[in-house]
Amino acid sequence: MTQISRFLSRRLRQTFGSVSALVYLALCAALFVWAIVVSVGDDSGESMAIIFPLLATAPTSLVLLVLPGGLAMVTVVVVLAALVNAAIIGWCARVLRRGGRPDPAS
């Protein structure tokens, strides 16, 4: 393993390695898959199921909604918002676990 790949894997594990961040990502993925399945199965075209993954990834997804519409853009918005929110959750978990001690990663 090169030094760069070790750094990236350590940084990813540090960012998304907390249980709460992983549970959040799994929940967002399950909601998104559910919304796609429900929307595809609806013949009337009136399904509003995609609202649930957008609300689960709020507030980040609401900022990104200014982008043009379409399923591809909604997918990008939900994935990016879930990753940003999971990174924030991981950071908060790391800070709370650390307590008053300084961060050894910085």
Side-chain angles (χ1 to χ4, degrees):
M1 240 181 167
T2 65
Q3 193 172 16
I4 294 174
S5 63
R6 271 186 264 147
F7 171 77
L8 287 176
S9 67
R10 185 181 59 203
R11 183 57 92 180
L12 284 173
R13 192 175 34 238
Q14 187 180 32
T15 303
F16 300 113
S18 73
V19 174
S20 51
L22 293 175
V23 168
Y24 174 76
L25 283 174
L27 175 71
C28 289
L31 277 173
F32 187 69
V33 168
W34 170 80
I36 295 299
V37 168
V38 168
S39 297
V40 168
D42 185 20
D43 292 336
S44 67
E46 298 174 357
S47 176
M48 296 291 289
I50 200 67
I51 295 299
F52 291 106
L54 289 174
L55 288 176
T57 56
T60 310
S61 63
L62 300 178
V63 171
L64 298 174
L65 279 178
V66 296
L67 301 172
L71 182 60
M73 194 54 66
V74 170
T75 303
V76 168
V77 166
V78 169
V79 168
L80 287 178
L83 289 173
V84 167
N85 288 346
I88 293 170
I89 290 169
W91 176 78
C92 289
R94 192 172 61 250
V95 167
L96 289 173
R97 208 174 28 247
R98 187 177 68 224
R101 297 183 311 269
D103 190 4
S106 58

